[in-house]
Amino acid sequence: MFGSRRKPVEGALSLAYGQGGGVRNMPWRKYAVIYKSVLLENLQYVANVALGFFTYFVFIYIYIRLWGYMYRSPEELIAGYTKEQMIWYVMMTEMLCFGANANVVAGEVARDIRGGNIAYLMNKPYHYTLYILARYTGEWSVRLPIYAAFAVLIGAVLVGPLPHFRWITLPVMALCAVLGITINAVFKLCISLFSFWIEDTTPFQWIYNKLILVVGIVFPVEIFPQTLQPLLKLTPIYTVCYGPAKLVVDFRLEKCVEILAAQAVYLAVGCGLMFLIYRKGVKRLYVNGG
């Protein structure tokens, strides 16, 4: 998915380098150039995003029917969630999953390493992992708002308005969602970077995806036994899907601070691991002669 669109990005980056050396003097700007180039490129293919709406709608409709069956009355609470809150929670987590689609990051990195393209990319004037993240951010910046609007439309029509939702908290919710998406991409990238040592990292990606699906997307943390909840809160799952969706359906200031603090820690730890694994992998590549 990335490979066929790399040349326009590299052309834009080369042009930016030639304009008075501004990018060279401010290293972060080259990633902004990559992001902007991918963003503008994907805006030309907005219609392609609509192809995933049908699958998203089918998933949400099944969950609406499932939770409608499990709740015996609209006033009943399950793990502290009303029926409307539970359905909106699943709609938000699925929206993040479909709108962000971090699997493109995992697949691209694994293909670059196994196919040898990494030897070409790692000599470019940017850090390979940050280049991948900048491209990925440019892609989901187009998809996610469209899926968010679609999710709100489905929720308003099939479920009804979310009780006690406060629009004033929307910027914080958006920040939490962006951090969650980035953390997920960083950890999936870390798994793919093990392709320097392991031929196929797909099984590890599958395990990670299923943990996110069961613990973060389909069910909120509160639905699991009390003894497991502290353990789940110590995993990236707590910050990837649960955190952003929880703030949407039940915003509380203390919970917001707790989730944002956990996201800051996991983002720092994840980036540290990402740079470490990449550095070790590149060193191994040099030792083995590329």
Side-chain angles (χ1 to χ4, degrees), residues 174-215:
L175 172 63
C176 189
V178 170
L179 289 174
I181 291 170
T182 306
I183 292 168
N184 188 40
V186 166
F187 277 95
K188 288 184 74 66
L189 204 157
C190 286
I191 296 173
S192 291
L193 287 174
F194 280 108
S195 294
F196 280 115
W197 296 271
I198 303 171
E199 180 66 23
D200 187 11
T201 57
T202 303
F204 303 101
Q205 294 285 1
W206 185 87
I207 294 171
Y208 175 82
N209 288 338
K210 296 312 172 188
L211 286 174
I212 292 289
L213 175 66
V214 175
V215 183

mmCIF file of all heavy atoms in Angstrom, residues 174-215:
data_model
loop_
_atom_site.group_PDB
_atom_site.id
_atom_site.type_symbol
_atom_site.label_atom_id
_atom_site.label_comp_id
_atom_site.label_asym_id
_atom_site.label_seq_id
_atom_site.Cartn_x
_atom_site.Cartn_y
_atom_site.Cartn_z
ATOM 1 N N ALA A 174 -10.247 13.745 21.292
ATOM 2 C CA ALA A 174 -9.492 13.632 20.039
ATOM 3 C C ALA A 174 -8.010 13.403 20.313
ATOM 4 O O ALA A 174 -7.363 12.575 19.655
ATOM 5 C CB ALA A 174 -9.690 14.892 19.197
ATOM 6 N N LEU A 175 -7.459 14.120 21.286
ATOM 7 C CA LEU A 175 -6.061 13.932 21.666
ATOM 8 C C LEU A 175 -5.817 12.506 22.146
ATOM 9 O O LEU A 175 -4.826 11.862 21.765
ATOM 10 C CB LEU A 175 -5.670 14.927 22.758
ATOM 11 C CG LEU A 175 -4.286 14.735 23.385
ATOM 12 C CD1 LEU A 175 -3.192 14.913 22.342
ATOM 13 C CD2 LEU A 175 -4.086 15.700 24.555
ATOM 14 N N CYS A 176 -6.720 12.004 22.967
ATOM 15 C CA CYS A 176 -6.601 10.644 23.492
ATOM 16 C C CYS A 176 -6.657 9.621 22.353
ATOM 17 O O CYS A 176 -5.912 8.630 22.343
ATOM 18 C CB CYS A 176 -7.716 10.384 24.503
ATOM 19 S SG CYS A 176 -7.559 8.841 25.409
ATOM 20 N N ALA A 177 -7.532 9.853 21.372
ATOM 21 C CA ALA A 177 -7.641 8.943 20.230
ATOM 22 C C ALA A 177 -6.371 8.949 19.393
ATOM 23 O O ALA A 177 -5.881 7.886 18.977
ATOM 24 C CB ALA A 177 -8.845 9.330 19.374
ATOM 25 N N VAL A 178 -5.811 10.128 19.158
ATOM 26 C CA VAL A 178 -4.570 10.237 18.375
ATOM 27 C C VAL A 178 -3.424 9.519 19.074
ATOM 28 O O VAL A 178 -2.642 8.789 18.445
ATOM 29 C CB VAL A 178 -4.215 11.714 18.134
ATOM 30 C CG1 VAL A 178 -2.813 11.854 17.546
ATOM 31 C CG2 VAL A 178 -5.234 12.360 17.201
ATOM 32 N N LEU A 179 -3.318 9.707 20.381
ATOM 33 C CA LEU A 179 -2.264 9.030 21.143
ATOM 34 C C LEU A 179 -2.454 7.518 21.103
ATOM 35 O O LEU A 179 -1.486 6.756 20.953
ATOM 36 C CB LEU A 179 -2.262 9.531 22.588
ATOM 37 C CG LEU A 179 -1.769 10.968 22.808
ATOM 38 C CD1 LEU A 179 -1.960 11.379 24.264
ATOM 39 C CD2 LEU A 179 -0.310 11.105 22.407
ATOM 40 N N GLY A 180 -3.708 7.061 21.236
ATOM 41 C CA GLY A 180 -3.971 5.634 21.193
ATOM 42 C C GLY A 180 -3.601 5.025 19.849
ATOM 43 O O GLY A 180 -2.997 3.940 19.779
ATOM 44 N N ILE A 181 -3.955 5.700 18.765
ATOM 45 C CA ILE A 181 -3.616 5.224 17.423
ATOM 46 C C ILE A 181 -2.103 5.157 17.243
ATOM 47 O O ILE A 181 -1.562 4.183 16.693
ATOM 48 C CB ILE A 181 -4.241 6.154 16.367
ATOM 49 C CG1 ILE A 181 -5.760 6.008 16.377
ATOM 50 C CG2 ILE A 181 -3.682 5.852 14.979
ATOM 51 C CD1 ILE A 181 -6.477 7.058 15.549
ATOM 52 N N THR A 182 -1.404 6.181 17.709
ATOM 53 C CA THR A 182 0.053 6.221 17.566
ATOM 54 C C THR A 182 0.718 5.129 18.378
ATOM 55 O O THR A 182 1.657 4.458 17.910
ATOM 56 C CB THR A 182 0.590 7.598 17.992
ATOM 57 O OG1 THR A 182 -0.093 8.625 17.259
ATOM 58 C CG2 THR A 182 2.080 7.697 17.736
ATOM 59 N N ILE A 183 0.260 4.917 19.610
ATOM 60 C CA ILE A 183 0.817 3.858 20.454
ATOM 61 C C ILE A 183 0.629 2.499 19.795
ATOM 62 O O ILE A 183 1.546 1.662 19.760
ATOM 63 C CB ILE A 183 0.165 3.882 21.854
ATOM 64 C CG1 ILE A 183 0.588 5.132 22.614
ATOM 65 C CG2 ILE A 183 0.541 2.627 22.660
ATOM 66 C CD1 ILE A 183 -0.216 5.397 23.873
ATOM 67 N N ASN A 184 -0.559 2.259 19.261
ATOM 68 C CA ASN A 184 -0.830 0.987 18.592
ATOM 69 C C ASN A 184 0.118 0.780 17.407
ATOM 70 O O ASN A 184 0.683 -0.300 17.224
ATOM 71 C CB ASN A 184 -2.279 0.960 18.120
ATOM 72 C CG ASN A 184 -2.692 -0.389 17.584
ATOM 73 O OD1 ASN A 184 -2.326 -1.427 18.132
ATOM 74 N ND2 ASN A 184 -3.459 -0.393 16.510
ATOM 75 N N ALA A 185 0.305 1.834 16.607
ATOM 76 C CA ALA A 185 1.196 1.735 15.450
ATOM 77 C C ALA A 185 2.639 1.480 15.872
ATOM 78 O O ALA A 185 3.353 0.687 15.248
ATOM 79 C CB ALA A 185 1.109 3.023 14.623
ATOM 80 N N VAL A 186 3.070 2.135 16.948
ATOM 81 C CA VAL A 186 4.448 1.964 17.428
ATOM 82 C C VAL A 186 4.686 0.523 17.871
ATOM 83 O O VAL A 186 5.717 -0.085 17.516
ATOM 84 C CB VAL A 186 4.743 2.946 18.579
ATOM 85 C CG1 VAL A 186 6.030 2.558 19.307
ATOM 86 C CG2 VAL A 186 4.847 4.370 18.053
ATOM 87 N N PHE A 187 3.757 -0.057 18.606
ATOM 88 C CA PHE A 187 3.948 -1.432 19.081
ATOM 89 C C PHE A 187 3.841 -2.442 17.943
ATOM 90 O O PHE A 187 4.563 -3.445 17.928
ATOM 91 C CB PHE A 187 2.954 -1.755 20.194
ATOM 92 C CG PHE A 187 3.408 -1.283 21.544
ATOM 93 C CD1 PHE A 187 3.001 -0.050 22.048
ATOM 94 C CD2 PHE A 187 4.267 -2.045 22.311
ATOM 95 C CE1 PHE A 187 3.439 0.394 23.278
ATOM 96 C CE2 PHE A 187 4.711 -1.609 23.554
ATOM 97 C CZ PHE A 187 4.291 -0.388 24.043
ATOM 98 N N LYS A 188 2.972 -2.200 16.977
ATOM 99 C CA LYS A 188 2.907 -3.083 15.819
ATOM 100 C C LYS A 188 4.177 -2.971 14.985
ATOM 101 O O LYS A 188 4.653 -3.951 14.416
ATOM 102 C CB LYS A 188 1.676 -2.759 14.969
ATOM 103 C CG LYS A 188 0.365 -3.185 15.625
ATOM 104 C CD LYS A 188 -0.823 -2.949 14.724
ATOM 105 C CE LYS A 188 -0.871 -3.953 13.609
ATOM 106 N NZ LYS A 188 -1.110 -5.332 14.059
ATOM 107 N N LEU A 189 4.731 -1.762 14.920
ATOM 108 C CA LEU A 189 5.992 -1.563 14.212
ATOM 109 C C LEU A 189 7.122 -2.300 14.928
ATOM 110 O O LEU A 189 7.982 -2.911 14.282
ATOM 111 C CB LEU A 189 6.283 -0.058 14.124
ATOM 112 C CG LEU A 189 7.194 0.435 13.009
ATOM 113 C CD1 LEU A 189 6.921 1.907 12.723
ATOM 114 C CD2 LEU A 189 8.648 0.263 13.369
ATOM 115 N N CYS A 190 7.100 -2.261 16.260
ATOM 116 C CA CYS A 190 8.116 -2.989 17.040
ATOM 117 C C CYS A 190 8.078 -4.488 16.726
ATOM 118 O O CYS A 190 9.126 -5.124 16.550
ATOM 119 C CB CYS A 190 7.897 -2.766 18.537
ATOM 120 S SG CYS A 190 8.365 -1.139 19.145
ATOM 121 N N ILE A 191 6.873 -5.042 16.657
ATOM 122 C CA ILE A 191 6.736 -6.463 16.352
ATOM 123 C C ILE A 191 7.280 -6.756 14.956
ATOM 124 O O ILE A 191 8.006 -7.743 14.747
ATOM 125 C CB ILE A 191 5.263 -6.899 16.465
ATOM 126 C CG1 ILE A 191 4.774 -6.753 17.912
ATOM 127 C CG2 ILE A 191 5.089 -8.347 16.003
ATOM 128 C CD1 ILE A 191 3.281 -7.003 18.090
ATOM 129 N N SER A 192 6.950 -5.912 13.986
ATOM 130 C CA SER A 192 7.417 -6.126 12.612
ATOM 131 C C SER A 192 8.933 -6.003 12.496
ATOM 132 O O SER A 192 9.549 -6.664 11.656
ATOM 133 C CB SER A 192 6.750 -5.134 11.663
ATOM 134 O OG SER A 192 5.381 -5.411 11.529
ATOM 135 N N LEU A 193 9.531 -5.161 13.330
ATOM 136 C CA LEU A 193 10.990 -4.992 13.271
ATOM 137 C C LEU A 193 11.738 -6.258 13.682
ATOM 138 O O LEU A 193 12.925 -6.410 13.361
ATOM 139 C CB LEU A 193 11.423 -3.824 14.163
ATOM 140 C CG LEU A 193 11.096 -2.422 13.639
ATOM 141 C CD1 LEU A 193 11.452 -1.365 14.672
ATOM 142 C CD2 LEU A 193 11.831 -2.141 12.334
ATOM 143 N N PHE A 194 11.066 -7.170 14.357
ATOM 144 C CA PHE A 194 11.704 -8.446 14.686
ATOM 145 C C PHE A 194 11.931 -9.295 13.436
ATOM 146 O O PHE A 194 12.540 -10.362 13.513
ATOM 147 C CB PHE A 194 10.866 -9.218 15.705
ATOM 148 C CG PHE A 194 11.062 -8.725 17.118
ATOM 149 C CD1 PHE A 194 10.074 -8.003 17.759
ATOM 150 C CD2 PHE A 194 12.237 -8.989 17.801
ATOM 151 C CE1 PHE A 194 10.250 -7.537 19.056
ATOM 152 C CE2 PHE A 194 12.435 -8.530 19.099
ATOM 153 C CZ PHE A 194 11.429 -7.804 19.731
ATOM 154 N N SER A 195 11.439 -8.813 12.284
ATOM 155 C CA SER A 195 11.723 -9.501 11.016
ATOM 156 C C SER A 195 13.210 -9.473 10.697
ATOM 157 O O SER A 195 13.673 -10.228 9.827
ATOM 158 C CB SER A 195 10.936 -8.853 9.875
ATOM 159 O OG SER A 195 9.550 -9.030 10.037
ATOM 160 N N PHE A 196 13.990 -8.619 11.363
ATOM 161 C CA PHE A 196 15.445 -8.653 11.211
ATOM 162 C C PHE A 196 16.009 -9.994 11.685
ATOM 163 O O PHE A 196 17.059 -10.433 11.216
ATOM 164 C CB PHE A 196 16.089 -7.528 12.030
ATOM 165 C CG PHE A 196 16.049 -6.176 11.369
ATOM 166 C CD1 PHE A 196 15.313 -5.145 11.924
ATOM 167 C CD2 PHE A 196 16.754 -5.943 10.195
ATOM 168 C CE1 PHE A 196 15.290 -3.885 11.318
ATOM 169 C CE2 PHE A 196 16.734 -4.686 9.588
ATOM 170 C CZ PHE A 196 15.992 -3.652 10.153
ATOM 171 N N TRP A 197 15.307 -10.637 12.635
ATOM 172 C CA TRP A 197 15.774 -11.909 13.187
ATOM 173 C C TRP A 197 14.854 -13.085 12.839
ATOM 174 O O TRP A 197 15.320 -14.208 12.727
ATOM 175 C CB TRP A 197 15.861 -11.803 14.721
ATOM 176 C CG TRP A 197 16.858 -10.825 15.202
ATOM 177 C CD1 TRP A 197 18.178 -11.058 15.465
ATOM 178 C CD2 TRP A 197 16.634 -9.441 15.485
ATOM 179 N NE1 TRP A 197 18.783 -9.903 15.888
ATOM 180 C CE2 TRP A 197 17.866 -8.878 15.920
ATOM 181 C CE3 TRP A 197 15.520 -8.612 15.418
ATOM 182 C CZ2 TRP A 197 18.011 -7.559 16.286
ATOM 183 C CZ3 TRP A 197 15.656 -7.274 15.774
ATOM 184 C CH2 TRP A 197 16.872 -6.756 16.201
ATOM 185 N N ILE A 198 13.554 -12.815 12.686
ATOM 186 C CA ILE A 198 12.566 -13.868 12.456
ATOM 187 C C ILE A 198 11.993 -13.706 11.054
ATOM 188 O O ILE A 198 11.660 -12.593 10.638
ATOM 189 C CB ILE A 198 11.423 -13.789 13.491
ATOM 190 C CG1 ILE A 198 11.989 -13.879 14.917
ATOM 191 C CG2 ILE A 198 10.411 -14.905 13.274
ATOM 192 C CD1 ILE A 198 10.969 -13.596 15.996
ATOM 193 N N GLU A 199 11.869 -14.790 10.339
ATOM 194 C CA GLU A 199 11.394 -14.735 8.959
ATOM 195 C C GLU A 199 9.979 -14.182 8.860
ATOM 196 O O GLU A 199 9.666 -13.372 7.982
ATOM 197 C CB GLU A 199 11.443 -16.140 8.343
ATOM 198 C CG GLU A 199 10.981 -16.211 6.896
ATOM 199 C CD GLU A 199 11.898 -15.470 5.949
ATOM 200 O OE1 GLU A 199 13.090 -15.273 6.296
ATOM 201 O OE2 GLU A 199 11.426 -15.059 4.879
ATOM 202 N N ASP A 200 9.097 -14.614 9.757
ATOM 203 C CA ASP A 200 7.686 -14.218 9.673
ATOM 204 C C ASP A 200 7.177 -13.820 11.045
ATOM 205 O O ASP A 200 7.139 -14.645 11.971
ATOM 206 C CB ASP A 200 6.858 -15.376 9.105
ATOM 207 C CG ASP A 200 5.416 -14.974 8.837
ATOM 208 O OD1 ASP A 200 5.117 -13.764 8.888
ATOM 209 O OD2 ASP A 200 4.586 -15.871 8.582
ATOM 210 N N THR A 201 6.790 -12.558 11.201
ATOM 211 C CA THR A 201 6.263 -12.074 12.485
ATOM 212 C C THR A 201 4.735 -12.072 12.505
ATOM 213 O O THR A 201 4.141 -11.574 13.458
ATOM 214 C CB THR A 201 6.758 -10.638 12.757
ATOM 215 O OG1 THR A 201 6.360 -9.780 11.680
ATOM 216 C CG2 THR A 201 8.272 -10.604 12.895
ATOM 217 N N THR A 202 4.105 -12.627 11.468
ATOM 218 C CA THR A 202 2.642 -12.629 11.382
ATOM 219 C C THR A 202 1.976 -13.269 12.602
ATOM 220 O O THR A 202 0.973 -12.737 13.103
ATOM 221 C CB THR A 202 2.180 -13.346 10.102
ATOM 222 O OG1 THR A 202 2.781 -12.701 8.972
ATOM 223 C CG2 THR A 202 0.670 -13.283 9.965
ATOM 224 N N PRO A 203 2.471 -14.430 13.120
ATOM 225 C CA PRO A 203 1.823 -15.022 14.304
ATOM 226 C C PRO A 203 1.806 -14.084 15.511
ATOM 227 O O PRO A 203 0.819 -14.045 16.253
ATOM 228 C CB PRO A 203 2.665 -16.269 14.585
ATOM 229 C CG PRO A 203 3.280 -16.610 13.272
ATOM 230 C CD PRO A 203 3.543 -15.300 12.606
ATOM 231 N N PHE A 204 2.874 -13.320 15.702
ATOM 232 C CA PHE A 204 2.929 -12.389 16.832
ATOM 233 C C PHE A 204 1.975 -11.211 16.617
ATOM 234 O O PHE A 204 1.344 -10.730 17.568
ATOM 235 C CB PHE A 204 4.366 -11.888 17.034
ATOM 236 C CG PHE A 204 5.358 -12.991 17.252
ATOM 237 C CD1 PHE A 204 6.176 -13.429 16.228
ATOM 238 C CD2 PHE A 204 5.453 -13.616 18.484
ATOM 239 C CE1 PHE A 204 7.088 -14.446 16.425
ATOM 240 C CE2 PHE A 204 6.355 -14.647 18.700
ATOM 241 C CZ PHE A 204 7.182 -15.061 17.664
ATOM 242 N N GLN A 205 1.863 -10.764 15.360
ATOM 243 C CA GLN A 205 0.889 -9.722 15.051
ATOM 244 C C GLN A 205 -0.528 -10.238 15.295
ATOM 245 O O GLN A 205 -1.391 -9.504 15.800
ATOM 246 C CB GLN A 205 1.025 -9.274 13.584
ATOM 247 C CG GLN A 205 2.329 -8.577 13.239
ATOM 248 C CD GLN A 205 2.396 -7.153 13.744
ATOM 249 O OE1 GLN A 205 1.479 -6.649 14.379
ATOM 250 N NE2 GLN A 205 3.509 -6.488 13.468
ATOM 251 N N TRP A 206 -0.766 -11.486 14.961
ATOM 252 C CA TRP A 206 -2.095 -12.075 15.139
ATOM 253 C C TRP A 206 -2.460 -12.122 16.624
ATOM 254 O O TRP A 206 -3.583 -11.764 17.009
ATOM 255 C CB TRP A 206 -2.118 -13.477 14.555
ATOM 256 C CG TRP A 206 -3.463 -14.131 14.586
ATOM 257 C CD1 TRP A 206 -4.452 -14.042 13.653
ATOM 258 C CD2 TRP A 206 -3.975 -14.989 15.634
ATOM 259 N NE1 TRP A 206 -5.544 -14.771 14.035
ATOM 260 C CE2 TRP A 206 -5.285 -15.368 15.242
ATOM 261 C CE3 TRP A 206 -3.464 -15.465 16.826
ATOM 262 C CZ2 TRP A 206 -6.080 -16.189 16.028
ATOM 263 C CZ3 TRP A 206 -4.250 -16.289 17.614
ATOM 264 C CH2 TRP A 206 -5.541 -16.645 17.209
ATOM 265 N N ILE A 207 -1.521 -12.544 17.460
ATOM 266 C CA ILE A 207 -1.771 -12.605 18.904
ATOM 267 C C ILE A 207 -2.062 -11.220 19.454
ATOM 268 O O ILE A 207 -3.007 -11.015 20.226
ATOM 269 C CB ILE A 207 -0.569 -13.243 19.635
ATOM 270 C CG1 ILE A 207 -0.423 -14.717 19.244
ATOM 271 C CG2 ILE A 207 -0.722 -13.114 21.151
ATOM 272 C CD1 ILE A 207 0.846 -15.363 19.754
ATOM 273 N N TYR A 208 -1.249 -10.257 19.045
ATOM 274 C CA TYR A 208 -1.441 -8.872 19.517
ATOM 275 C C TYR A 208 -2.805 -8.344 19.075
ATOM 276 O O TYR A 208 -3.537 -7.739 19.873
ATOM 277 C CB TYR A 208 -0.312 -7.998 18.976
ATOM 278 C CG TYR A 208 -0.467 -6.524 19.309
ATOM 279 C CD1 TYR A 208 -0.071 -6.039 20.555
ATOM 280 C CD2 TYR A 208 -0.998 -5.630 18.384
ATOM 281 C CE1 TYR A 208 -0.205 -4.691 20.868
ATOM 282 C CE2 TYR A 208 -1.140 -4.282 18.692
ATOM 283 C CZ TYR A 208 -0.742 -3.826 19.927
ATOM 284 O OH TYR A 208 -0.888 -2.499 20.232
ATOM 285 N N ASN A 209 -3.168 -8.596 17.817
ATOM 286 C CA ASN A 209 -4.456 -8.114 17.297
ATOM 287 C C ASN A 209 -5.630 -8.734 18.049
ATOM 288 O O ASN A 209 -6.630 -8.050 18.328
ATOM 289 C CB ASN A 209 -4.577 -8.441 15.808
ATOM 290 C CG ASN A 209 -3.677 -7.573 14.950
ATOM 291 O OD1 ASN A 209 -3.271 -6.489 15.359
ATOM 292 N ND2 ASN A 209 -3.366 -8.042 13.749
ATOM 293 N N LYS A 210 -5.542 -10.015 18.370
ATOM 294 C CA LYS A 210 -6.643 -10.690 19.066
ATOM 295 C C LYS A 210 -6.770 -10.188 20.500
ATOM 296 O O LYS A 210 -7.884 -10.076 21.027
ATOM 297 C CB LYS A 210 -6.447 -12.210 19.060
ATOM 298 C CG LYS A 210 -6.474 -12.820 17.667
ATOM 299 C CD LYS A 210 -7.665 -12.315 16.859
ATOM 300 C CE LYS A 210 -7.604 -12.755 15.411
ATOM 301 N NZ LYS A 210 -8.658 -12.119 14.577
ATOM 302 N N LEU A 211 -5.650 -9.879 21.137
ATOM 303 C CA LEU A 211 -5.715 -9.310 22.487
ATOM 304 C C LEU A 211 -6.399 -7.943 22.460
ATOM 305 O O LEU A 211 -7.249 -7.644 23.306
ATOM 306 C CB LEU A 211 -4.305 -9.186 23.074
ATOM 307 C CG LEU A 211 -3.638 -10.485 23.522
ATOM 308 C CD1 LEU A 211 -2.195 -10.225 23.934
ATOM 309 C CD2 LEU A 211 -4.410 -11.118 24.683
ATOM 310 N N ILE A 212 -6.030 -7.129 21.470
ATOM 311 C CA ILE A 212 -6.670 -5.822 21.320
ATOM 312 C C ILE A 212 -8.158 -5.984 21.036
ATOM 313 O O ILE A 212 -9.003 -5.257 21.580
ATOM 314 C CB ILE A 212 -6.000 -5.019 20.194
ATOM 315 C CG1 ILE A 212 -4.570 -4.634 20.576
ATOM 316 C CG2 ILE A 212 -6.815 -3.771 19.863
ATOM 317 C CD1 ILE A 212 -4.468 -3.586 21.645
ATOM 318 N N LEU A 213 -8.498 -6.967 20.196
ATOM 319 C CA LEU A 213 -9.898 -7.185 19.811
ATOM 320 C C LEU A 213 -10.751 -7.574 21.003
ATOM 321 O O LEU A 213 -11.800 -6.982 21.259
ATOM 322 C CB LEU A 213 -9.968 -8.268 18.729
ATOM 323 C CG LEU A 213 -11.382 -8.701 18.307
ATOM 324 C CD1 LEU A 213 -12.109 -7.557 17.620
ATOM 325 C CD2 LEU A 213 -11.315 -9.918 17.388
ATOM 326 N N VAL A 214 -10.301 -8.573 21.760
ATOM 327 C CA VAL A 214 -11.120 -9.117 22.848
ATOM 328 C C VAL A 214 -11.144 -8.186 24.051
ATOM 329 O O VAL A 214 -12.203 -7.912 24.625
ATOM 330 C CB VAL A 214 -10.599 -10.513 23.260
ATOM 331 C CG1 VAL A 214 -11.361 -11.030 24.472
ATOM 332 C CG2 VAL A 214 -10.730 -11.492 22.096
ATOM 333 N N VAL A 215 -9.982 -7.691 24.426
ATOM 334 C CA VAL A 215 -9.890 -6.921 25.668
ATOM 335 C C VAL A 215 -10.186 -5.439 25.457
ATOM 336 O O VAL A 215 -10.726 -4.779 26.343
ATOM 337 C CB VAL A 215 -8.496 -7.097 26.305
ATOM 338 C CG1 VAL A 215 -8.406 -6.354 27.628
ATOM 339 C CG2 VAL A 215 -8.180 -8.566 26.501
#
